[in-house]
Amino acid sequence: PFFNKRRRTGRALASDGSRGFERWEMEVATRLVREFKRNSRSFANDEAEDLLQECLLRWFEVRRRFTPASDGPPLAYMAKVLRN
């Protein structure tokens, strides 16, 4: 998988062992995947872990463009990106 389970640091590890995602990023993505699976028939048959990886990959591509002054809190920005 793209990431491994969290260590004590609160970050998920990327497959190369580097720090990949903050704990809050994992929690937001996990919560949204549960929401997608619960509310959408099109995601009902997809594996939650696969959807989570897709969401985290998308966030990884977008998060460096985040600017706190104009985009609001990072948590809200991440949720907006992943919902779209």
Side-chain angles (χ1 to χ4, degrees):
F2 183 76
F3 61 90
N4 297 322
K5 297 289 182 189
R6 285 179 255 183
R7 286 191 181 169
R8 291 182 208 200
T9 61
R11 291 181 176 220
L13 299 179
S15 58
D16 66 356
S18 65
R19 291 181 178 177
F21 299 101
E22 299 285 340
R23 176 177 281 161
W24 69 265
E25 292 171 310
M26 294 294 295
E27 290 170 355
V28 168
T30 300
R31 188 179 69 232
L32 288 173
V33 165
R34 285 189 202 125
E35 179 183 308
F36 294 152
K37 286 189 64 65
R38 188 173 47 248
N39 298 328
S40 175
R41 289 183 187 173
S42 61
F43 292 119
N45 295 324
D46 292 342
E47 291 290 326
E49 187 171 321
D50 292 341
L51 292 172
L52 181 61
Q53 287 182 7
E54 290 292 324
C55 286
L56 290 171
L57 182 59
R58 176 67 180 139
W59 174 240
F60 185 77
E61 295 169 347
V62 175
R63 71 179 175 178
R64 67 179 157 251
R65 290 184 262 164
F66 173 73
T67 54
S70 63
D71 294 326
L75 190 136
Y77 181 69
M78 180 184 185
K80 179 180 173 183
V81 166
L82 296 183
R83 282 189 176 111
N84 293 324

